Amino acid sequence: MTDRLSPPGRALVTGAAGFIGYHLSERLLAAGWSVTGLDAHSPYYDPRLKAAREARLLRHARFRAVHGRLEEPGLLAALVEAERPALVLHLAAQAGVRHSIDAPGEYVSANLEGTFRLLEALRPHPPAHLLLASTSSVYGANPRLPWRERDTTDAPLSFYAATKTGCEAMAHAHAHLHAIPTTALRFFTVYGPWGRPDMALFRFTRAVLADEPVDLYGAEMQRRDFTFVDDLAEAVMRLAARPPAPGAPVGPFDSLSPAAPFRSVNVGLGEPVPLLDFLAAVEAATGRTARRRALPVQPGEIAATWADTTLLGALAGPLPRTPLAEGVARFVAWFRGWDQSLARST
Ligand SMILES: NC(=O)c1ccc[n+]([C@@H]2O[C@H](COP(=O)([O-])OP(=O)(O)OC[C@H]3O[C@@H](n4cnc5c(N)ncnc54)[C@H](O)[C@@H]3O)[C@@H](O)[C@H]2O)c1
């Protein structure tokens, strides 16, 4: 089964025009995979950014773009039937904690129904490994830090988190019933070039460079386990080669299911950073001082996130750890170029 996980082979990446999907598609292509990237180019944030990421992927002869929604009846079933991917990276989702307060229905559709459609499509042709994007948000109100994979995830604080917990549960059932080796990747605040406009780094950098106030929603209280996207991509590539094998836990801390080839893995740095230090890194990288606007904490937000990375280390070995200052500087350099290209095109 794991032979199928060596390139050249075919991979399906959902959400390939998204931030993380773009970076992972680049990695897979560089490693020799043929990649089919499915993305709906949803309007949650500027679709020009998604089109620009996809245009870069299309420079590779082994990349094929498919536009459509996960939940479109028959779409994924036909794609899987035709391509029989050995590796599936499921990243497409409606992301964002805040937006899920205003538009929870979008999360039911993209995350719950979309994941259900993918799982059903894979039933007749199980891949050698399915990796699906989950989130640190599933730990919700759990106050015991750092979070471990075997901690409970039954107290979500946002509807986004609730749908991601649901995705993990559905994937576990299909792993059990239909022998689909599955890893749920619990990502911790990912940042880096080609990042998302709704996330802190993009918002901070845009405001600082425009000399506009930086909105800080209870930031003095918040700490995040920031993960640089290249470090995350390396971790996911190594995890992709380690599908869960029933009955073979890698240690007493393993989250491997007793009933299915399924585990969840924290993908983070394991080093929570105050959000205000993150803003200081933006100031250093831009050479400017932020004008801070203090605002109340948004409902659904978690005060601190912190990954226990014992399982990640056991499965993936020692991983690169880009220092925050370097990662933020690389984002700011990319952002300046992107902003200028938008200014030229409008
Ligand atoms: N960025 C982070 O810090 C972070 C943290 C935790 C979890 N995650 C998860 O990682 C995954 C990728 O996140 P990202 O930051 O790259 O987000 P993103 O919004 O940039 O990427 C998601 C992509 O999915 C596409 N999409 C949305 N709904 C779709 C649908 N119904 N059908 C087909 N395509 C659809 C979007 O157009 C987008 O390009 C998501 O599942 C997200 O929940 C991200």
Side-chain angles (χ1 to χ4, degrees), residues 15 17-21 39-42 45 50 53 68-71 91-95 110 133-135 160 164 187 189-190 196 199:
F19 169 38
I20 300 173
D39 202 295
H41 291 234
S42 73
Y45 61 79
K50 300 178 182 184
R53 295 185 190 117
R69 295 188 65 83
L70 298 163
E71 56 276 42
L91 302 154
Q94 178 55 53
S134 186
T135 167
Y160 165 62
K164 285 291 185 174
F187 294 148
T189 318
V190 191
R196 263 169 45 201
M199 293 187 69

Side-chain angles (χ1 to χ4, degrees), residues 220-284:
E220 67 286 355
M221 315 282 292
Q222 290 188 18
R223 289 184 302 149
R224 289 285 176 271
D225 197 330
F226 290 103
T227 317
F228 188 61
V229 69
D230 286 356
D231 301 347
L232 173 127
E234 178 62 26
V236 174
M237 289 297 288
R238 292 195 209 169
L239 290 172
R242 300 280 313 257
V250 293
F253 44 82
D254 198 348
S255 62
L256 187 66
S257 163
F262 179 98
R263 66 158 61 90
S264 50
V265 185
N266 290 339
V267 186
L269 203 66
E271 216 177 88
V273 172
L275 200 57
L276 291 180
D277 288 8
F278 200 56
L279 180 58
V282 173
E283 292 179 313

Side-chain angles (χ1 to χ4, degrees), residues 318-337:
L319 286 159
R321 301 170 67 83
T322 303
L324 190 76
E326 184 189 325
V328 169
R330 281 171 60 185
F331 172 82
V332 169
W334 167 79
F335 179 87
R336 286 184 196 270

Side-chain angles (χ1 to χ4, degrees), residues 11-25 28 35-41 54 57 63-64 66 68-71 75-76 79-80 85 87-94 110-111 114-115 117-119 121-122 130-133 164 187:
L12 169 64
V13 178
T14 73
F19 169 38
I20 300 173
Y22 159 67
H23 284 277
L24 282 168
S25 297
L28 289 168
V35 176
T36 297
L38 172 76
D39 202 295
H41 291 234
E54 190 179 86
L57 294 173
F63 181 78
R64 184 165 92 88
V66 177
R69 295 188 65 83
L70 298 163
E71 56 276 42
L75 175 73
L76 277 164
L79 201 57
V80 170
L87 180 63
V88 178
L89 298 190
H90 176 38
L91 302 154
Q94 178 55 53
N111 301 2
T115 300
R117 295 268 180 193
L118 175 67
L119 293 169
L122 296 177
L130 161 66
L131 297 101
L132 61 103
K164 285 291 185 174
F187 294 148

